[in-house]
Amino acid sequence: MTTIRSVNPATGEELARFDEDDADVVEARIAAAARAFPVLAGTPIVRRGEWMRAAAGLLEDEADELAALITAEMGKPIAQSRAEVLKSAHTMRYYADNAAAFLDGRVLDDPSAVGASTARTRFEPLGVVLAVMPWNYPIWQVVRFAAPALMAGNVGLLKHASNVPQSARYLGELFVRAGFPEGSFATLLIGSARVERVIRDPRVVAVTLTGSEGAGRSIAATAGDVLKKVVLELGGSDPFIVMPSADLDAAVETAVRARTTNNGQACINAKRFIVHDDVYDAFAERFTRRMSALRVGDPSDPAVEIGPLATEQGRRDIAELVEDARAAGAEVLAGDIPADAPGWFYPPTVVAGLSPRMRLWSEEAFGPVASLYRAASLDDAIAIANDSDFGLGSAFWSTDPEEIARAERELEAGAVFVNGMTISYAELPFGGVKRSGFGRELSQEGLREFCNLKTVWVA
Ligand code: NAP
């Protein structure tokens, strides 16, 4: 039986180890989920809302311990870990309050047009949904799936990332502790090689993944083979465009946060900073200065702004991307080779002078590495931004209404944030285009992803 380890990335110390769930345990959890589905789907939504609010209350009551666990297990600065827990609780309450309205169907104004006395739609839950989740927001990523799914009457099985087993176990118990029927939400402590079998299980009706392109390809292929619904939230290499009319001080401050939140390991971190020629030098100088001044260190220290990368492999990957660019002639404006110290730290880094033959041009940098691009015009900036296989978020800085209108229309992304940075909110749909995936999470759209939109026609 393979062991799943929880390791503190700031020190390399092992925090806990667990045996993977064996085939009998996985079978029992799937069977319990299948039994729970009709029970949960048949429970009035008001009751589901009470349980969801109770789950939010548990998160709030346990916020300090849970934040410490997140930080210990994946290295996020402690204040951000706490914010993640509270945002998750807010999202649970949001769905507890709004799910009933989101599930309202539509009534056709003129049913005679379809030869009926009444024609309408209704949303019904699908059944057991498997969620394959990443480590970078170990509580939030799961809650943003689980809260709408359970409120709609679905039940959930969680296969979490292998480096956050303690978060996975916490989540596996949370909803039943809050009052949901046994089997409504459970964790499968299994490695990725065993995901395919779960997707193929006839009792599992759909799958959602937040993760890398490779995982997306593999999960979508299996789901396609057995014709099951799949939602994919994959990587991003979000552009952050700065035009001459922008408030440069605010743009620089926001750019630093947009690149380095979560130690630079968020799908919606801004990764490519595309700056108009007129303000490029001023932006590059100030941005590089601010990036270099960030405090890197022990993420449990509230004064620290950047902790370690979550995994040793993650640090190797990002170091290789920067070295590849440097070897091909890029200029590294900030960032030193990481010291040979315990923990998987990587310094905030700024790279300029990129060209398409460098991997950093086209690949996602999952760590605190910013790429700078000089744009000759708005056309040029939008062209550079769209010259990417990804299309998740984007940010556009300008005070010119015509430029803003063009950015809104022309940026190939699931979101455009004007004079701000891309953030996920319970209240707004979230997802990507191109190789960033398909389907939406959050808001009304996220709740409806795992519903059967049923048409009802009455003679
Ligand atoms: P990852 O390697 O794809 O892991 C994500 C999850 O998928 C883990 O539970 C992992 O399990 C599982 N997995 C990996 N390969 C699989 C396969 N072939 N079949 C089935 N399951 C598989 O991703 P990561 O490197 O941990 O996370 C970073 C990536 O996620 C980045 O690309 C980031 O942009 C993306 N992300 C996207 C969003 C979004 O909303 N769009 C949000 C956050 C992160 P194991 O841990 O056991 O391998």
Side-chain angles (χ1 to χ4, degrees):
M1 189 57 57
T2 316
T3 300
I4 294 189
R5 295 168 72 228
S6 175
V7 175
N8 184 337
T11 60
E13 175 205 355
E14 182 176 287
L15 302 168
R17 57 164 62 208
F18 306 93
D19 287 337
E20 268 196 41
D21 289 338
D22 63 22
D24 290 345
V25 172
V26 171
E27 165 54 33
R29 299 242 159 91
I30 298 175
R35 278 195 305 274
F37 173 56
V39 179
L40 191 63
T43 302
I45 195 160
V46 173
R47 199 74 213 279
R48 297 203 291 264
E50 287 165 9
W51 295 332
M52 191 56 73
R53 283 188 199 93
L58 287 173
L59 280 190
E60 286 157 352
D61 291 347
E62 294 163 8
D64 288 341
E65 299 91 304
L66 193 51
L69 171 61
I70 295 172
T71 293
E73 201 162 47
M74 56 67 69
K76 193 189 306 273
I78 187 71
Q80 294 180 33
S81 294
R82 205 179 141 75
E84 173 176 341
V85 174
L86 297 181
K87 177 173 172 173
S88 301
H90 165 76
T91 299
M92 289 169 158
R93 293 188 191 283
Y94 169 78
Y95 278 108
D97 292 345
N98 292 294
F102 291 167
L103 290 169
D104 252 0
R106 195 160 61 82
V107 180
L108 208 63
D109 288 338
D110 177 15
S112 69
V114 294
S117 64
T118 318
R120 58 193 166 80
T121 59
R122 48 183 288 129
F123 291 89
E124 292 179 350
L126 290 180
V128 181
V129 183
L130 172 68
V132 182
M133 290 289 153
W135 45 264
N136 62 344
Y137 289 87
I139 301 299
W140 163 247
Q141 298 286 0
V142 177
V143 166
R144 78 179 187 184
F145 154 72
L150 295 180
M151 282 309 299
N154 293 297
V155 302
L157 287 171
L158 167 66
K159 182 272 179 273
H160 217 326
S162 291
N163 57 324
V164 288
Q166 297 193 78
S167 301
R169 284 162 55 96
Y170 178 90
L171 289 159
E173 292 166 5
L174 177 69
F175 293 98
V176 174
R177 279 172 66 210
F180 278 91
E182 200 66 45
S184 299
F185 193 88
T187 284
L188 305 176
L189 219 50
I190 56 174
S192 55
R194 293 170 65 197
V195 167
E196 175 172 350
R197 192 151 175 192
V198 180
I199 298 172
R200 289 185 183 279
D201 189 293
R203 293 163 292 185
V204 173
V205 297
V207 55
T208 180
L209 164 76
T210 300
S212 60
E213 268 185 78
R217 241 178 246 117
S218 154
I219 283 173
T222 304
D225 191 38
V226 283
L227 297 175
K228 291 183 184 175
K229 164 97 186 209
V230 59
V231 167
L232 299 180
E233 297 286 1
L234 307 180
S237 191
D238 287 4
F240 187 108
I241 296 175
V242 183
M243 296 300 291
S245 64
D247 175 341
L248 208 59
D249 287 338
V252 168
E253 284 309 308
T254 308
V256 171
R257 265 195 305 129
R259 178 54 284 205
T260 57
T261 298
N262 211 39
N263 304 335
Q265 302 164 113
C267 52
I268 48 168
N269 280 134
K271 291 167 186 143
R272 298 178 297 137
F273 297 84
I274 303 162
V275 186
H276 191 280
D277 208 19
D278 291 356
V279 285
Y280 179 91
D281 291 336
F283 179 93
E285 190 270 319
R286 287 189 225 177
F287 179 68
T288 304
R289 189 153 30 87
R290 282 284 291 112
M291 287 285 281
S292 308
L294 290 171
R295 196 157 160 200
V296 181
D298 174 2
S300 64
D301 174 349
V304 160
E305 293 163 293
I306 306 241
L309 297 189
T311 64
E312 193 168 14
Q313 182 62 44
R315 182 171 71 171
R316 217 174 292 135
D317 290 347
I318 197 94
E320 276 174 22
L321 276 185
V322 174
E323 277 324 299
D324 169 81
R326 194 198 305 262
E331 199 184 347
V332 180
L333 302 178
D336 296 319
I337 308 290
D340 203 8
W344 304 314
F345 290 94
Y346 193 84
T349 298
V350 181
V351 184
L354 288 142
S355 70
R357 67 182 197 287
M358 299 170 187
R359 289 176 54 202
L360 203 45
W361 182 280
S362 52
E363 293 183 30
E364 177 181 26
F366 218 57
V369 173
S371 304
L372 290 187
Y373 296 80
R374 192 188 282 272
S377 62
L378 178 61
D379 284 341
D380 194 25
I382 291 176
I384 296 170
N386 289 342
D387 182 18
S388 170
D389 288 332
F390 298 109
L392 196 53
S394 61
F396 186 76
W397 282 73
S398 166
T399 52
D400 179 328
E402 278 177 32
E403 287 181 354
I404 292 171
R406 278 197 56 198
E408 195 181 312
R409 257 192 333 267
E410 295 177 29
L411 285 172
E412 296 166 359
V416 181
F417 279 65
V418 178
N419 297 324
M421 59 187 262
T422 308
I423 296 178
S424 58
Y425 292 99
E427 297 81 358
L428 288 172
F430 182 96
V433 294
K434 297 158 96 176
R435 273 160 50 188
S436 291
F438 44 77
R440 289 293 178 268
E441 291 194 284
L442 298 173
S443 193
Q444 171 167 297
E445 290 75 8
L447 179 129
R448 290 180 169 183
E449 281 287 358
F450 293 109
C451 287
N452 171 19
L453 168 53
K454 187 181 271 179
T455 295
V456 180
W457 181 100
V458 182

